[in-house]
Amino acid sequence: MPDPLAQIVGLLQPGAPFSKCVTGSGAWRVRRTQSPNPYYVAVLKGSLRYRDHQSGEVIVNAGDFILIPSAQDFMMWSDVPSSDNDMVIDPVILPGGGYRVGSVDGPVDMRALVGYCIFQSDDATLLSSLLPELVVVRGEYRLAMLMQLLGDEAGGSKPGREVVLQHLLEVLLIEALRSTVELGDAPGLLRGLSDDRLAVAIRGMHERPERGWTVVELARQAALSRSGFHERFQSAVGMAPMEYLKVWRLALAKDLLRKREASVGEIARQVGYRSSSAFSVAFTREVGVSPARYARDMHALPGMAAGEFEGAIA
């Protein structure tokens, strides 16, 4: 059976090219009101505190990794007591690179790699809609090894340092999404996959998107009643089963159209539509352009360019 999360990550083609090493000393606070992309923090030394409107306060220790899929208004601050007077407006740029928050001359008690992720696919909203408001990963052996490599590379000055950091962060992102996380009560794909019965249905949709699935058939796969399955899926994933199936089919269709390896009619059949006209109507309604126009436009684009990464963790 396929791994739905790994498939989605693969379709999104994630990268983490914009990262900054941030060190903290003493009392400090930073606030970010908006980020255009999923935002991450990998704490390499010490600890910090995080809070947003949905998640409440979270302590992030060395070896922990957090991902904010839809980064809007959140705050991070030092483990030592701080106040609004310690708010960092412009982090100090260090001579050797990196940023400092808090005391410029004090001993470093926090070190983190922070930045945001970009996606070669235009389906970045798919990730935000299927993940909790905050992903927190702790105590994972594979992640601990990656964090150690990140720490060694971030603190060094070997040739190719930035390239190595970029690739390590990409692997870290994928591992974080695949790992067990603190789900809390937030709906999303991870919660759906953690439910053994729902996971069977989700994997079925991913394994055979071309099948004419109905809620009754999916409920049978999950060994649940129709109404029980629908309510359980909606509560866990955050959308109705058939809505999720539509989103997944369209994501697959976009990927196939970008590759330009099959006709619109062939793609329609591969993603579960009985005719190319029905597929075109559904695709145009959701995406805003026809499948043929989408394929032409994506082929003409040289690739997505992310904007300059500004600031540190503020």
Side-chain angles (χ1 to χ4, degrees):
M1 294 287 279
D3 179 343
L5 185 58
Q7 285 185 313
I8 288 173
V9 171
L11 282 184
L12 291 174
Q13 303 173 55
F18 299 107
S19 65
K20 299 294 180 184
C21 185
V22 180
T23 53
S25 177
W28 54 269
R29 287 190 177 193
V30 295
R31 182 179 182 183
R32 193 169 186 87
T33 56
Q34 186 175 342
S35 179
N37 303 90
Y39 195 88
Y40 65 86
V41 181
V43 179
L44 306 173
K45 176 183 178 180
S47 61
L48 56 82
R49 294 171 181 266
Y50 170 93
R51 184 178 66 222
D52 61 33
H53 295 302
Q54 290 81 25
S55 307
E57 182 176 327
V58 178
I59 299 176
V60 190
N61 298 309
D64 294 347
F65 178 89
I66 64 174
L67 173 70
I68 307 106
S70 183
Q72 295 299 323
D73 188 359
F74 62 88
M75 182 181 292
M76 287 181 282
W77 65 97
S78 56
D79 197 37
V80 301
S82 64
S83 67
D84 288 343
N85 293 329
D86 301 308
M87 191 72 70
V88 176
I89 305 301
D90 296 307
V92 175
I93 303 176
L94 300 176
Y99 290 79
R100 172 66 62 87
V101 292
S103 172
V104 177
D105 302 320
V108 173
D109 48 33
M110 187 281 299
R111 178 179 288 110
L113 281 172
V114 304
Y116 65 79
C117 314
I118 62 170
F119 300 99
Q120 297 305 312
S121 164
D122 66 343
D123 277 323
T125 53
L126 179 64
L127 180 67
S128 298
S129 67
L130 295 175
L131 290 176
E133 296 287 343
L134 177 67
V135 175
V136 183
V137 184
R138 309 183 193 271
E140 291 290 325
Y141 175 68
R142 289 164 63 92
L143 282 169
M145 290 192 296
L146 284 169
M147 295 290 285
Q148 180 63 50
L149 289 171
L150 278 169
D152 294 344
E153 197 66 35
S157 56
K158 294 181 180 180
R161 172 178 174 272
E162 294 301 322
V163 176
V164 174
L165 278 176
Q166 174 183 338
H167 289 298
L168 283 173
L169 284 165
E170 289 173 2
V171 177
L172 180 62
L173 170 65
I174 295 171
E175 276 298 314
L177 294 177
R178 293 171 59 193
S179 298
T180 303
V181 297
E182 298 177 2
L183 297 177
D185 296 324
L189 179 60
L190 294 173
R191 269 194 64 194
L193 291 174
S194 69
D195 184 315
D196 291 340
R197 295 198 179 188
L198 296 182
V200 173
I202 293 171
R203 290 193 176 98
M205 286 186 269
H206 279 251
E207 184 178 31
R208 298 189 59 189
E210 78 285 355
R211 181 172 173 175
W213 292 105
T214 65
V215 176
V216 172
E217 289 174 310
L218 290 169
R220 188 180 300 118
Q221 293 279 321
L224 293 168
S225 69
R226 183 187 184 283
S227 60
F229 169 73
H230 188 279
E231 291 178 11
R232 193 157 161 173
F233 195 102
Q234 177 80 48
S235 175
V237 180
M239 62 178 70
M242 300 311 290
E243 176 69 14
Y244 178 84
L245 179 61
K246 180 186 71 175
V247 168
W248 173 237
R249 283 172 168 170
L250 287 176
L252 283 176
K254 286 182 179 181
D255 185 58
L256 292 169
L257 289 166
R258 284 191 293 267
K259 293 176 179 176
R260 296 170 65 90
E261 296 175 354
S263 68
V264 171
E266 291 169 337
I267 292 172
R269 287 190 293 274
Q270 288 182 48
V271 299
Y273 288 87
R274 294 182 178 179
S275 68
S276 57
S277 59
F279 168 64
S280 295
V281 169
F283 189 95
T284 304
R285 182 173 60 246
E286 297 298 325
V287 181
V289 296
S290 70
R293 174 66 180 274
Y294 180 87
R296 289 196 301 270
D297 290 348
M298 290 298 104
H299 184 67
L301 290 174
M304 294 183 65
E308 181 182 0
F309 175 62
E310 298 179 353
I313 51 180

